[in-house]
Amino acid sequence: MKRLENRICVVTGAARGIGAAICEAFLAEGAQVIATDCNETALHDFAQKQGCSAMRLDVGCEDDWNAFATQYPEIDVLVNNAGFEQGMVAHDPEHASLADWHAVHRVNLDGTFLGCRYAIGAMRNRPSGSIINISSRSGMVGIPAAAAYAASKAAIRNHSKTVALYCAQQGYNIRCNSIHPAAILTPMWEPMLGSGPERAANMAALVADTPAKRFGSPAEVAALAVMLASDEAAYMTGTELTIDGGLLAGSAAVPGS
């Protein structure tokens, strides 16, 4: 029997990158996957290719979550993966505008809150439930150029623990854990990498302070999500898992002489 057979799994931000990889991994493990994204065209192209269900969902919109709950009143797994890409807008503590700060938190934090709230109701009467929140290495350290992003991911880290404790307190068999990736090679990195002869040098420079000296892959993050969604993690709740090539372990590794 596959690890996620007979489980209804919802993934937000599923049209590309980490979300797409998680959907693919869940499908391979026998899950019934419902992919969601606010990019309706990309979402339905992905769902058609993978053979899974799909529904447009703006995670920061309460009405969208209410409509989703009507369509899917019961599920077993939710991955709150949708995240805001800040682009070239200033997000440092001195120059970030309040509007830009709110835009990041609307997706990253409000979206996770609304997703967790929906999931508790949708999992409460199931045999078990697993909520997986995608935070970030940036939620564990300060990021001078991305104040709003780092703050939102730190809040996700804490809210995951709160949800875990609340569900345990209520006697619900619902677990909540967070995953904290660092540099994962997704489409958001492409503008910084380029496509010419400089690409290899740019990639090396961006992971120079990572002990593993490489980017992680979306499939590696998806493997953690599969484990947290499965019965293998039945005693894990309120836990945070880092996947960062050793970045948070301490000083960068130095080859032996």
Side-chain angles (χ1 to χ4, degrees):
M1 188 173 181
K2 295 183 177 180
R3 296 155 82 189
L4 301 180
E5 203 163 325
N6 301 320
R7 299 192 190 187
I8 304 169
C9 302
V10 176
V11 181
T12 69
R16 64 176 191 164
I18 291 173
I22 292 173
C23 287
E24 291 168 12
F26 281 6
L27 287 165
E29 291 293 342
Q32 176 187 333
V33 172
I34 302 143
T36 76
D37 204 288
C38 63
N39 185 334
E40 198 163 7
T41 300
L43 172 65
H44 285 288
D45 287 347
F46 171 78
Q48 185 174 30
K49 179 181 176 182
Q50 296 298 323
C52 64
S53 300
M55 183 170 175
R56 184 192 180 280
L57 176 66
D58 176 353
V59 296
C61 176
E62 188 170 19
D63 288 344
D64 275 20
W65 277 108
N66 290 338
F68 189 83
T70 299
Q71 186 75 22
Y72 298 101
E74 290 193 342
I75 65 168
D76 302 293
V77 177
L78 170 67
V79 182
N80 282 311
N81 167 73
F84 186 90
E85 296 177 16
Q86 68 184 55
M88 301 306 293
V89 178
H91 276 275
D92 64 81
E94 182 180 5
H95 300 101
S97 71
L98 185 60
D100 290 333
W101 173 276
H102 284 163
V104 172
H105 282 262
R106 177 186 178 278
V107 176
N108 294 356
L109 185 53
D110 294 355
T112 297
F113 160 72
L114 290 168
C116 289
R117 191 179 70 179
Y118 154 74
I120 292 169
M123 297 175 183
R124 193 168 46 206
N125 296 319
R126 303 290 285 183
S128 65
S130 175
I131 301 170
I132 303 165
N133 294 328
I134 305 299
S135 180
S136 172
R137 168 254 181 184
S138 300
M140 301 175 129
V141 297
I143 307 292
Y149 182 82
S152 69
K153 291 297 185 177
I156 290 170
R157 176 190 185 192
N158 187 271
H159 191 61
S160 300
K161 297 176 187 295
T162 296
V163 170
L165 293 175
Y166 173 82
C167 289
Q169 183 184 62
Q170 299 301 310
Y172 302 152
N173 191 18
I174 301 171
R175 299 176 291 107
C176 184
N177 297 285
S178 58
I179 298 176
H180 299 253
I184 305 299
L185 193 56
T186 61
M188 65 177 258
W189 288 93
E190 292 303 322
M192 290 175 274
L193 295 176
S195 57
E198 76 284 357
R199 183 179 176 88
N202 289 341
M203 289 186 73
L206 286 167
V207 295
D209 59 348
T210 300
K213 301 299 181 188
R214 69 171 178 88
F215 281 87
S217 72
E220 290 172 313
V221 181
L224 285 184
V226 168
M227 186 271 290
L228 289 174
S230 75
D231 289 338
E232 295 167 15
Y235 199 51
M236 291 178 67
T237 193
T239 298
E240 53 196 42
L241 299 178
T242 57
I243 176 166
D244 64 359
L247 194 60
L248 291 176
S251 301
V254 179
S257 57

